Amino acid sequence: MKAIVFDTFGGTEVLHEAEVATPEPGPGQVRVRVKAVGVNPVDGKIRSGALEAVFPTPLPATPGGEVAGVVDAVGEGVDQLKEGDEVLGWPDTGAYAEYALASAAALAHKPAGLAWAHAAALPVAGDAADRVLDLLGVASGETLLIHGASGGVGTIAVQLAVARGARVIGTAGPANQEYVASLGATPLVYGENLVERVRALAPDGVDAVFDAAGKGALEDSITLRGDTDRIVTTADFRAGELGVVFAEGPQRRSAARLAELAQQAADGTLVTAVGTTYPLAEAAKAQQASDAGRSRGKIVLTVD
């Protein structure tokens, strides 16, 4: 099968297409014929070697931590999925490939009305949004500041926070202000004088901060909160140095919750933002765009 591989750590130039053996599912696993793959910032950090101390990566390696596709083969002991089922979830093997293995328990059925690219945009973003909002204890009537509100994680987090009854102030680039407002947040352009501009919108202060951008907003967040309490980032690896909680990669992987979010997305009650889509062979371009961090919504690879 075709897969995107890197044999050494480095920039996006280390990614290349290769022919590798098609994997066979073990007990409790299924093989998924990949249709779409979410491209996440962590993919680039693993590729560069920046996360080697946190996520040791044997080389050669194939990136990809969320997948949508069709069950192609079923391993021993799997009774909740069958060949031909359309699914989305978290793979056990890198999903920048024509096929990936996944634990059956880590997959949800894809609703018929949900496009492949939008299905691939849900697992990581939905998991991160739910997990961080719970860590922050966001409640009705509170004011939540979300950095990176127009990104893949931010898009979902804004909507889930609003559904909890919170008021959300969402930072994003100038071109994404109307989009952030459409999600239910009060939009704000990131950048200079952020503290003063947030205070103008929320004179009584912000109750919590969710940093989904990783663009150096933690210092301003600490100033706004007065300390590091109720600030969580999923994107800024300086968190430990500043005493801020860093929410590490998917810890729940609830297929049941993913199925709920997927149905909401299919029904149109949850917006899943997909930015640019790239064919599998252009994985390096997709990661370049992800590394730049300027995309509205999730960057997705599609596989024919």
Side-chain angles (χ1 to χ4, degrees), residues 114 117-119 121-122 155-156 159 179 261 265-266 270-274 297-298:
L114 185 61
H118 287 265
L122 262 178
T155 288
I156 303 298
Q159 296 171 87
Y179 172 72
L261 295 176
L270 180 72
V271 174
T272 51
V274 173
K298 180 64 67 72

Side-chain angles (χ1 to χ4, degrees), residues 138-145 161-162 165-169 184-186 198 200-203 205:
V138 175
S140 179
E142 293 191 318
T143 297
L144 171 67
L145 174 62
V162 169
R167 180 201 179 193
V168 177
I169 298 173
T186 300
V198 171
L201 292 174

Side-chain angles (χ1 to χ4, degrees), residues 149 168-172 176-182 184-189 197 201:
V168 177
I169 298 173
T171 70
N176 289 322
Q177 297 296 290
E178 289 186 11
Y179 172 72
V180 171
S182 75
T186 300
L188 192 65
V189 177
R197 291 185 288 117
L201 292 174

Side-chain angles (χ1 to χ4, degrees), residues 102-118:
S103 299
L107 296 174
H109 286 92
K110 183 185 79 66
L114 185 61
W116 288 115
H118 287 265

Side-chain angles (χ1 to χ4, degrees), residues 56-242:
T57 304
L59 299 176
T62 293
E66 60 185 337
V67 67
V70 181
V71 174
D72 171 77
V74 177
E76 181 182 351
V78 174
D79 53 17
Q80 68 267 51
L81 294 173
K82 64 183 185 303
E83 291 183 27
D85 282 351
E86 297 183 346
V87 295
L88 66 155
W90 301 272
D92 294 336
T93 59
Y96 287 28
E98 291 182 311
Y99 295 91
L101 298 181
S103 299
L107 296 174
H109 286 92
K110 183 185 79 66
L114 185 61
W116 288 115
H118 287 265
L122 262 178
V124 168
D127 177 86
D130 267 339
R131 190 156 38 86
V132 172
L133 293 178
D134 286 347
L135 282 171
L136 291 170
V138 175
S140 179
E142 293 191 318
T143 297
L144 171 67
L145 174 62
I146 297 180
H147 298 296
S150 65
V153 174
T155 288
I156 303 298
V158 167
Q159 296 171 87
L160 296 185
V162 169
R164 291 186 180 208
R167 180 201 179 193
V168 177
I169 298 173
T171 70
N176 289 322
Q177 297 296 290
E178 289 186 11
Y179 172 72
V180 171
S182 75
L183 299 174
T186 300
L188 192 65
V189 177
Y190 58 74
E192 294 183 7
N193 303 315
L194 181 67
V195 171
E196 290 76 12
R197 291 185 288 117
V198 171
R199 284 175 174 164
L201 292 174
D204 295 329
V206 296
D207 297 291
V209 181
F210 181 170
D211 172 33
K215 297 295 183 182
L218 290 184
E219 289 87 351
D220 284 345
S221 301
I222 293 169
T223 299
L224 286 163
R225 286 286 301 136
D227 56 29
T228 59
D229 180 53
R230 297 189 77 187
I231 302 174
V232 175
T233 181
T234 57
D236 196 328
F237 291 90
R238 301 175 305 127
E241 303 170 16
L242 299 172

